[in-house]
């Protein structure tokens, strides 16, 4: 746990920041880490060799190119857009923060579709943005599109995650279009996990129609670069210019730009691993459904993780960590997610280790 903030310095902090505590990702050294939705297979060896080669040629004495032009051009070609419609960030997190810096602030409203990724609210509050939560269905976690459309009419920014973290639900392309029409501000579709979803799920085709639609992608998940911190947005040149205006010029370092360029050029090489993760997701889900007699509920997911409800989830998560050295994410005290854990889909042996351990623990309860 990081050290807390002393009262002495809290007293002189910006009030919205003084209300916070240092972020604790709750990581610990474990045998099987299924807690952060990473790609646990790691980078294919032939891509890694090319990344290593590229890194060897990187000069460190010069500042990075602020807008990552080579990577930006490669991403634009991939997505069939102009480079002016792409902006690269130090992970998706930085881009979310910058969106709130640009479109949030006092007098501005963020519409948030809860339960969802917690950083949207966190960053919104940090820059004094009013947050309007539109709750998902308490049983299925499907978004309430009508309520979102109504709330969007007053929003500077609407964020919907598809597939949603931590519930796994997709948001339909049709409802995204309705949101773009209803919202005078920017609509962010966070597609960080879209590579694991069925073909045709992405709202990307709408970019040509709506200038207020922005789509977030990251190389942290499917493309094995969580450690390098590379995310990017697709949107209209105007909104990308607003993002370029608020960003820290050198936030994306030379090593990460070089590694990402290789990963994007070699992206097809990742497809077999993505397919394996999708297949493992079904197998893991099936294994969890077989534990339904012991109080386990698992939701459908289009991402590389599953949301699972288990009796006494907080304790189960601690025992998985302490007795089996398996780490999953605890959402059991998050609003709307009572007794829920989120488990990343890992390799076959990792998923089996988790299923076996969970089965043993639930037998004892
Ligand atoms: N969006 C969602 C929904 C996420 O879950 C994450 C990572 N946890 C991100 C964005 C940001 O990912 P990164 O900063 O690693 O690109």
């Amino acid at each position: 746990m990081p050290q807390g903030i002393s009262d002495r310095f809290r007293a002189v902090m910006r009030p919205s920041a003084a209300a916070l505590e240092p972020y604790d990702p709750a990581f610990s050294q474990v045998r099987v880490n299924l807690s952060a939705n990473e790609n646990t297979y790691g980078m294919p060896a032939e891509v890694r060799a090319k990344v290593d080669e590229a890194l060897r040629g990187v000069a460190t004495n010069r500042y990075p190119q602020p807008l990552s032009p080579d990577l930006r051009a490669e991403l634009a070609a991939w997505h069939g857009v102009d480079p002016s419609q792409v902006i690269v960030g130090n992970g998706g997190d930085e881009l979310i923060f910058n969106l709130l810096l640009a479109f949030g602030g006092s007098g501005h409203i963020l519409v948030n579709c809860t339960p969802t990724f917690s950083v949207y609210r966190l960053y919104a509050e940090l820059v004094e943005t009013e947050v309007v939560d539109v709750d998902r269905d308490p049983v299925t976690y499907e978004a309430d599109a009508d309520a979102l459309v109504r709330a969007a009419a007053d929003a500077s920014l609407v964020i919907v995650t598809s597939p949603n973290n931590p519930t796994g639900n997709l948001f339909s392309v049709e409802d995204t279009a309705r949101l773009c029409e209803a919202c005078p501000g920017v609509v962010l579709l966070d597609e960080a996990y879209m590579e694991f979803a069925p073909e045709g799920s992405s709202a990307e085709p709408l970019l040509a129609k709506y200038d207020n639609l922005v789509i977030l992608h990251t190389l942290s998940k499917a493309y094995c670069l969580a450690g390098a911190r590379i995310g990017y947005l697709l949107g209209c040149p105007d909104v990308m210019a607003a993002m370029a205006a608020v960003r820290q010029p050198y936030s994306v370092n030379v090593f990460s730009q070089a590694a990402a360029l290789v990963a994007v050029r070699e992206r097809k090489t990742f497809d077999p691993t993505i397919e394996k993760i999708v297949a493992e997701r079904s197998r893991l889900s099936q294994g969890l459904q077989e534990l339904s007699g012991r109080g386990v509920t698992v939701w459908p997911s289009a991402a590389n993780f599953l949301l699972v409800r288990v009796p006494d989830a907080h304790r189960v998560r601690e025992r998985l960590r302490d007795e089996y050295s398996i780490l999953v994410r605890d959402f059991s005290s998050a609003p709307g997610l009572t007794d829920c854990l989120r488990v990343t889909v890992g390799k076959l042996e990792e998923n089996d280790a988790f299923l076996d351990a969970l089965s043993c623990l639930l037998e004892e309860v």
Side-chain angles (χ1 to χ4, degrees):
M1 183 68 186
Q3 196 185 322
I5 309 166
S6 68
D7 289 347
R8 170 187 173 347
F9 286 104
R10 219 183 270 273
V12 290
M13 283 172 74
R14 173 186 181 134
S16 61
L20 303 175
E21 295 299 335
Y23 179 69
D24 175 14
F27 284 163
S28 43
Q29 278 301 326
V30 283
R31 184 170 57 95
V32 176
N33 185 345
L34 302 177
S35 72
N37 300 342
E38 296 138 334
N39 181 340
T40 71
Y41 289 77
M43 198 173 265
E46 63 268 40
V47 185
R48 180 60 205 232
K50 288 183 184 171
V51 166
D52 289 346
E53 186 60 36
L55 294 181
R56 254 197 296 280
V58 167
T60 59
N61 59 319
R62 303 289 185 188
Y63 285 100
Q65 298 243 45
L67 294 179
S68 312
D70 297 345
L71 179 57
R72 191 186 203 197
E74 196 73 35
L75 290 167
W78 174 10
H79 291 281
V81 297
D82 189 79
S84 62
Q85 293 176 267
V86 181
I87 194 149
V88 178
N90 186 307
D93 282 351
E94 182 192 47
L95 296 164
I96 295 164
F97 185 79
N98 287 350
L99 268 169
L100 280 147
L101 209 50
F103 297 99
S106 75
H108 294 247
I109 292 176
L110 164 71
V111 170
N112 193 32
C113 186
T114 46
T116 191
F117 191 32
S118 58
V119 308
Y120 311 138
R121 169 175 279 280
L122 180 71
Y123 294 163
E125 288 180 345
L126 195 50
V127 295
E128 284 116 14
T129 313
E130 184 186 338
V131 182
V132 173
D133 284 340
V134 176
D135 286 339
R136 292 169 174 270
D137 182 279
V139 177
T140 64
Y141 297 118
E142 284 301 312
D144 182 344
D146 292 340
L148 279 171
V149 165
R150 280 194 300 276
D154 301 317
S156 301
L157 184 62
V158 177
I159 304 183
V160 182
T161 318
S162 179
N164 186 44
N165 176 9
T167 65
N169 310 65
L170 286 166
F171 191 69
S172 78
V173 178
E174 297 72 39
D175 288 333
T176 304
R178 288 174 65 206
L179 271 185
C180 291
E181 286 185 13
C183 183
V186 170
V187 175
L188 172 68
L189 249 267
D190 182 341
E191 296 192 351
Y193 300 96
M194 193 49 89
E195 289 82 3
F196 305 102
E199 281 281 325
S201 303
S202 171
E204 224 162 283
L206 297 179
L207 283 171
K209 187 160 180 208
Y210 296 106
D211 65 357
N212 60 341
L213 176 64
V214 172
I215 294 185
L216 183 134
H217 286 290
T218 179
L219 301 185
S220 293
K221 313 295 179 185
Y223 297 100
C224 295
L225 281 176
R229 316 298 304 121
I230 294 282
Y232 59 100
L233 293 179
L234 306 175
C236 80
D238 258 4
V239 176
M240 297 302 100
M243 297 301 290
V246 299
R247 71 187 293 276
Q248 291 183 34
Y250 303 119
S251 68
V252 185
N253 72 72
V254 285
F255 295 114
S256 297
Q257 289 190 32
L261 185 61
V262 173
V264 172
R265 285 191 176 141
E266 302 294 325
R267 59 187 174 276
K268 287 269 159 245
T269 316
F270 291 82
D271 286 351
T273 312
I274 295 171
E275 281 162 28
K276 261 190 230 164
I277 292 169
V278 170
E280 275 299 294
R281 179 177 71 206
S282 307
R283 209 180 58 83
L284 180 57
S285 173
Q286 185 60 39
L288 287 163
Q289 283 168 48
E290 282 163 19
L291 295 175
S292 63
R294 290 189 224 155
V296 173
T297 307
V298 57
W299 279 266
S301 169
N304 68 337
F305 53 81
L306 293 170
L307 187 73
V308 194
R309 178 166 284 147
V310 301
D312 203 5
H314 178 72
R315 182 79 189 114
V316 165
R317 187 241 178 210
E318 279 182 344
R319 294 191 63 190
L320 282 168
R321 182 192 60 202
D322 300 340
E323 295 169 32
Y324 294 88
S325 198
I326 297 173
L327 199 63
V328 299
R329 190 69 190 255
D330 184 7
F331 283 91
S332 59
S333 49
L337 296 171
T338 308
D339 271 337
C340 284
L341 303 175
R342 188 195 66 198
V343 53
T344 304
V345 179
K347 297 182 203 164
L348 180 139
E349 59 274 20
E350 293 173 319
N351 302 329
D352 280 348
F354 167 71
L355 282 172
D356 289 348
L358 183 65
S359 168
C360 288
L361 286 177
L362 293 178
E363 211 151 81
E364 293 172 25
V365 174

